[in-house]
Amino acid sequence: MLRVSSRTKMKKGEDKKMKGESKEEHLTKLPRSLLCLIFEAAIEDTKERRKKDGGRQAVRTLASLACTCRTLRDILFPETEKVVCDFHGLECHRQEGHHCHLNSDYPHSWYFDVEGYVCTDDMHSLTLGGKLWYLACKQMIGYGSCKLHAVCGAFTDDLCRENAIFWRNLCRDAAELRIMHWSKGANLVLKHNAKIEDDIMSRRMIADPEIVRAQKLLNISQTPRCTIPAPCKPCFSNAMLPLDSGLSPSNSREAEGSSSSRRNITAEERAEAEKVLSSKWRNLASTFLLDKRLPRSGHCSVSVGEFIVIVGGFCPANLPIVDVILIHIGTLTIKCPEVYGNPPPKRFRQTLNHVEPSSLSPLFPEKEEDHVLVMYGGWDALGCEYGGKEINTLTVAANGDYVHWKTFSTSGQAPSPRYNHSADTIKRKESLFVYGGEGEQVEANDTCSYFLNLNSLLWRRVPTFANFKRGRKSHPSARCLHVSTVRLNPKSGLEEVIIFGGLSPAKDRFDTRQKNNNVFDMTPYSLDLDTMQWTQSSQDDVLKTKSRHRAAPVKVTANRMLLVGGVTEAGLFLDDIVQLNLSTLKWEEPPLVLGQPSHGLRHIAGCSADGLFIFGGTTTTIFGVTPVTKLDVLQIGPPHELENKLMEESKSAASTPNAPIPSPRPTPKKQRGSLADIINDFVAMVKLGRGKYLEKFNIRQHQVLARHRASRTQWFNNT
């Protein structure tokens, strides 16, 4: 009996073991698509959930699923992963010309050809765990930021962006937001792709015979050049005009003779040439190349879909209209789209917001997949202010090929023309909220808020009140150049408008003889859109940040906002990055930023930071305030090299026993070199800094740049 009972117990134990193994095997035997659909339903993405918790619920769901059985834990928390290219599962049009580093020996996710840097098409091969963590990460930081980190991750050696480890670490770093770093390769790619775009644009423009003929007439004239920005020869960096390179010897002699004689053209010929240029330069996006359009300040930028849309601002090109520049996140290329409609006059310090009007609204686009942006306000530094009852809409194509300008007239209690104000979209992006600003017709103590219904285009002016329990201190003063955003109240779940910082719009603040004490502190104020009452949040004096204006805000998650730079009340340009928790409305410990940007944030103000793209800004020189070309990308988390190094050190420390500490030895004295060596060492120490970890520049980038220049030269010689 004992033997039988023991055998039955052993059989029962084996049956239980087999049942557990069969369950795990059953999960692994499920089709990948079906298993992914089950998990996608578990972490379903809704706008309301994203606004409330910022994607944290999806992360918690995946963590709880990983605790259910070993198979799910191996899928969601793998130590190592092997990604295989599912080339045969792609569509037919994507299989043609497919280039993937997963089925090749090339270690990088970027390859290079004569057209610049090209990203491989390898994000189709996400593993199951990688796809689930990618969906959770997309809920937390958005589609554009995920695409940006995937693209910038391609510059790192031995980094596979399709695995669960990459996206899981990004979810962790985005939730904590303790450490960030500057991308070391994105700036190079953006600048060189801008040069490629300049070459393409210049060749396309000078190939038009009418433009060449008009240029020739204006170049040989003794009269001053027209004020219309024409595609003149100095605008083409290294490109040669057809009248300089494509003429026969006889024609070239005639051109030389005509240019030497410098005959005067008639007024009719000059007017005809200017008419040709003014009628064609809008369709060519601009007659100025990107090297004169990228340095700018006072612009506005919005992240929509796969693009960063940059509109307006002051740049050396001094265009008479508002120009548009698109940065494609997936390939880090800068596009100059075709412009349709009548662009508004040039302006800067306006606002630009992405709206989602209903089908009944006059702002609804012709194609549903296109994006609609509303531009309001601004000025041109010559005394002309914009706004009032006029709004401008910019429709951006989903693929970025074209943009379409439209002008609409509104009704109701519209705000007076203004600039340096703030604007936010509320009520599911179907209404526009405008607050603050300055202008000739703006009242000095105007603390009213303005609402624009995007369906009826009707303005509504609503006064705001202080919280009766906390007194007048809970009501913010009239201000401009401040920061505003929208959040969901964690208690009531209703929308609130948050403002902080800025300075008073008093007219005497431009007088340099007076002391500027009109910069407001960074205490956030929240406005309840139902009761229109302001509430001032309490702050910790230790973590409270410096007062500033003209700071560049970027909303990383639904509950985290970063401020880049700013200007103090003493006029100093700040170079720090501070963090605000939108749930508690309290300033927290700023993240540790590693690496070094292309143009240090020191002495630079007026940049934009939407979508983690730090673009533009001004700096002070001996010639005054000058816009700079700033194209930097701020990434979440530590650099991949540092993270791998720390993991290796932790593994080696855990595996090796504690060794005795060796006795210290006297370090030999460093021999002093020549004066040039000492100066070079000092400059390097100043640039890198002491006690800071700064990434070393990847030497392979120099080799890529060398191949880039060589291939460009060979391509131009062959063509």
Side-chain angles (χ1 to χ4, degrees):
M1 291 293 291
L2 291 173
R3 293 178 181 177
V4 174
S5 62
S6 62
R7 288 177 182 176
T8 54
K9 287 182 180 179
M10 291 176 63
K11 287 183 179 180
K12 289 181 180 179
E14 291 178 358
D15 291 342
K16 290 182 179 180
K17 186 176 180 181
M18 291 297 293
K19 286 181 180 179
E21 291 179 356
S22 63
K23 288 182 179 179
E24 293 183 1
E25 290 179 0
H26 177 68
L27 286 173
T28 56
K29 288 180 180 179
L30 281 176
R32 177 184 174 184
S33 58
L34 179 59
L35 189 60
C36 192
L37 287 175
I38 296 173
F39 288 161
E40 285 181 13
I43 58 173
E44 183 180 1
D45 180 19
T46 59
K47 291 185 178 180
E48 298 298 330
R49 177 185 294 182
R50 192 189 309 168
K51 288 182 179 179
K52 289 181 180 179
D53 61 358
R56 298 197 178 201
Q57 182 64 34
V59 177
R60 287 192 291 265
T61 303
L62 291 178
S64 61
L65 286 174
C67 298
T68 56
C69 68
R70 186 174 181 179
T71 304
L72 296 180
R73 186 165 60 253
D74 293 339
I75 292 174
L76 296 173
F77 289 89
E79 294 184 0
T80 58
E81 249 183 331
K82 184 178 180 181
V83 185
V84 182
C85 173
D86 54 350
F87 173 76
H88 299 286
L90 296 176
E91 297 85 354
C92 296
H93 67 277
R94 294 188 62 186
Q95 291 183 4
E96 298 178 359
H98 178 69
H99 187 283
C100 183
H101 76 280
L102 297 175
N103 52 8
S104 64
D105 297 332
Y106 191 66
H108 298 281
S109 298
W110 284 73
Y111 69 96
F112 181 80
D113 61 2
V114 295
E115 295 183 356
Y117 296 89
V118 181
C119 182
T120 59
D121 187 16
D122 52 6
M123 290 301 291
H124 62 89
S125 53
L126 282 167
T127 61
L128 178 58
K131 187 172 184 179
L132 294 174
W133 283 112
Y134 169 73
L135 293 175
C137 195
K138 187 169 66 172
Q139 294 183 32
M140 184 174 292
I141 63 177
Y143 171 77
S145 297
C146 289
K147 194 76 174 178
L148 178 64
H149 283 80
V151 171
C152 293
F155 300 110
T156 308
D157 299 341
D158 304 328
L159 176 62
C160 191
R161 301 162 296 144
E162 296 80 17
N163 57 13
I165 302 173
F166 176 82
W167 297 106
R168 184 193 66 204
N169 293 342
L170 185 57
C171 283
R172 176 202 62 196
D173 297 332
E176 298 176 355
L177 211 62
R178 298 291 180 85
I179 185 171
M180 305 183 77
H181 71 280
W182 296 100
S183 177
K184 62 181 180 180
N187 177 56
L188 290 173
V189 176
L190 283 168
K191 287 188 175 181
H192 281 271
N193 285 339
K195 292 182 179 179
I196 295 295
E197 181 69 19
D198 278 350
D199 294 334
I200 295 174
M201 185 186 300
S202 61
R203 290 177 177 274
R204 181 180 62 178
M205 293 164 60
I206 62 181
D208 194 330
E210 295 184 2
I211 293 181
V212 173
R213 192 180 302 110
Q215 290 173 351
K216 183 178 179 181
L217 288 174
L218 293 177
N219 284 335
I220 65 177
S221 173
Q222 295 180 352
T223 57
R225 298 193 61 86
C226 59
T227 57
I228 300 174
C232 55
K233 185 176 180 179
C235 301
F236 293 135
S237 62
N238 297 327
M240 295 183 65
L241 291 175
L243 57 93
D244 296 328
S245 59
L247 295 178
S248 60
S250 60
N251 293 337
S252 61
R253 292 170 185 172
E254 294 177 1
E256 291 177 0
S258 61
S259 60
S260 60
S261 60
R262 291 293 179 184
R263 67 177 181 86
N264 290 329
I265 63 174
T266 62
E268 291 78 9
E269 292 177 341
R270 183 170 62 253
E272 184 67 24
E274 293 180 358
K275 184 179 179 181
V276 169
L277 296 178
S278 62
S279 62
K280 293 207 170 196
W281 71 292
R282 289 182 179 177
N283 294 331
L284 297 172
S286 174
T287 56
F288 285 94
L289 302 183
L290 289 174
D291 58 350
K292 295 186 179 181
R293 297 172 60 194
L294 291 179
R296 67 179 58 214
S297 176
H299 57 280
C300 47
S301 64
V302 174
S303 176
V304 290
E306 297 185 355
F307 295 95
I308 302 292
V309 184
I310 301 168
V311 175
F314 172 76
C315 61
N318 195 20
L319 297 173
I321 64 166
V322 176
D323 62 330
V324 181
I325 297 176
L326 301 181
I327 299 178
H328 189 250
I329 301 175
T331 56
L332 293 182
T333 55
I334 302 177
K335 299 183 64 175
C336 297
E338 295 290 336
V339 181
Y340 296 96
N342 294 322
K346 67 174 181 179
R347 66 190 69 181
F348 55 94
R349 295 188 182 177
Q350 72 278 16
T351 56
L352 187 71
N353 299 93
H354 179 216
V355 299
E356 296 178 0
S358 63
S359 57
L360 301 177
S361 174
L363 308 183
F364 191 77
E366 297 180 359
K367 297 181 180 180
E368 190 175 357
E369 64 272 11
D370 293 347
H371 309 284
V372 180
L373 309 178
V374 173
M375 186 180 69
Y376 185 77
W379 73 313
D380 60 356
L382 299 177
C384 187
E385 301 172 359
Y386 301 96
K389 293 187 176 182
E390 182 181 275
I391 63 171
N392 302 102
T393 62
L394 178 67
T395 303
V396 182
N399 56 1
D401 289 342
Y402 65 89
V403 294
H404 194 176
W405 284 103
K406 291 182 180 180
T407 304
F408 293 91
S409 180
T410 60
S411 59
Q413 299 173 332
S416 56
R418 61 189 62 205
Y419 55 95
N420 290 336
H421 56 284
S422 65
D424 297 281
T425 54
I426 58 175
K427 297 180 180 180
R428 298 180 180 178
K429 295 187 177 182
E430 293 185 358
S431 182
L432 187 67
F433 174 85
V434 177
Y435 184 82
E438 58 183 332
E440 293 184 359
Q441 303 178 17
V442 178
E443 299 178 2
N445 297 322
D446 185 11
T447 57
C448 294
S449 57
Y450 298 88
F451 297 87
L452 175 63
N453 191 329
L454 298 178
N455 295 327
S456 61
L457 299 184
L458 180 66
W459 284 100
R460 188 164 54 97
R461 183 175 184 265
V462 181
T464 58
F465 307 96
N467 194 316
F468 299 105
K469 296 181 180 179
R470 301 188 180 183
R472 294 183 178 179
K473 291 184 179 180
S474 62
H475 196 291
S477 304
R479 60 188 65 197
C480 62
L481 291 173
H482 54 280
V483 178
S484 69
T485 186
V486 179
R487 71 152 188 173
L488 286 180
N489 191 303
K491 296 181 180 180
S492 62
L494 301 177
E495 281 186 327
E496 292 182 347
V497 177
I498 312 299
I499 69 167
F500 51 87
L503 74 161
S504 174
K507 297 181 180 180
D508 57 353
R509 68 180 176 86
F510 295 102
D511 191 357
T512 57
R513 295 172 296 179
Q514 298 184 9
K515 189 177 180 180
N516 293 327
N517 292 326
N518 46 9
V519 177
F520 298 105
D521 60 3
M522 304 298 288
T523 302
Y525 293 86
S526 59
L527 176 63
D528 190 341
L529 297 179
D530 289 341
T531 61
M532 300 305 295
Q533 288 186 2
W534 290 100
T535 303
Q536 184 182 18
S537 62
S538 58
Q539 295 294 320
D540 188 2
D541 295 336
V542 179
L543 297 177
K544 192 174 181 180
T545 183
K546 298 179 181 179
S547 301
R548 66 190 70 194
H549 62 92
R550 294 192 69 186
V554 52
K555 202 171 181 180
V556 182
T557 64
N559 300 323
R560 302 276 181 174
M561 171 178 276
L562 297 179
L563 287 185
V564 181
V567 183
T568 63
E569 59 183 87
L572 301 177
F573 293 172
L574 299 175
D575 60 345
D576 59 346
I577 297 178
V578 294
Q579 179 181 182
L580 176 66
N581 190 331
L582 295 177
S583 298
T584 60
L585 292 183
K586 290 186 178 181
W587 295 99
E588 296 184 350
E589 192 72 24
L592 176 64
V593 182
L594 304 177
Q596 195 174 21
S598 60
H599 287 275
L601 290 179
R602 194 182 306 274
H603 308 306
I604 291 181
C607 59
S608 61
D610 201 85
L612 296 177
F613 275 86
I614 315 300
F615 178 82
T618 56
T619 184
T620 55
T621 62
I622 58 175
F623 303 103
V625 179
T626 305
V628 296
T629 303
K630 186 173 181 61
L631 291 167
D632 289 316
V633 174
L634 193 62
Q635 291 186 251
I636 301 173
H640 181 68
E641 297 88 348
L642 177 61
E643 192 171 2
N644 287 349
K645 185 178 180 181
L646 294 177
M647 290 178 63
E648 292 176 0
E649 290 179 357
S650 61
K651 289 181 181 179
S652 61
S655 59
T656 57
N658 295 331
I661 302 175
S663 58
R665 297 181 179 179
T667 57
K669 293 184 178 180
K670 186 178 179 181
Q671 297 181 358
R672 296 178 62 88
S674 61
L675 180 61
D677 296 337
I678 296 174
I679 294 175
N680 292 334
D681 294 341
F682 176 75
V683 171
M685 291 172 60
V686 171
K687 288 184 177 180
L688 295 179
R690 292 184 177 181
K692 261 188 171 183
Y693 171 80
L694 296 176
E695 298 175 83
K696 293 183 179 180
F697 187 80
N698 192 354
I699 301 179
R700 293 188 181 182
Q701 296 292 339
H702 290 292
Q703 301 174 359
V704 172
L705 294 181
R707 293 198 305 268
H708 169 71
R709 299 189 187 96
S711 59
R712 282 184 62 196
T713 305
Q714 183 179 3
W715 184 62
F716 286 135
N717 293 335
N718 295 336
T719 55

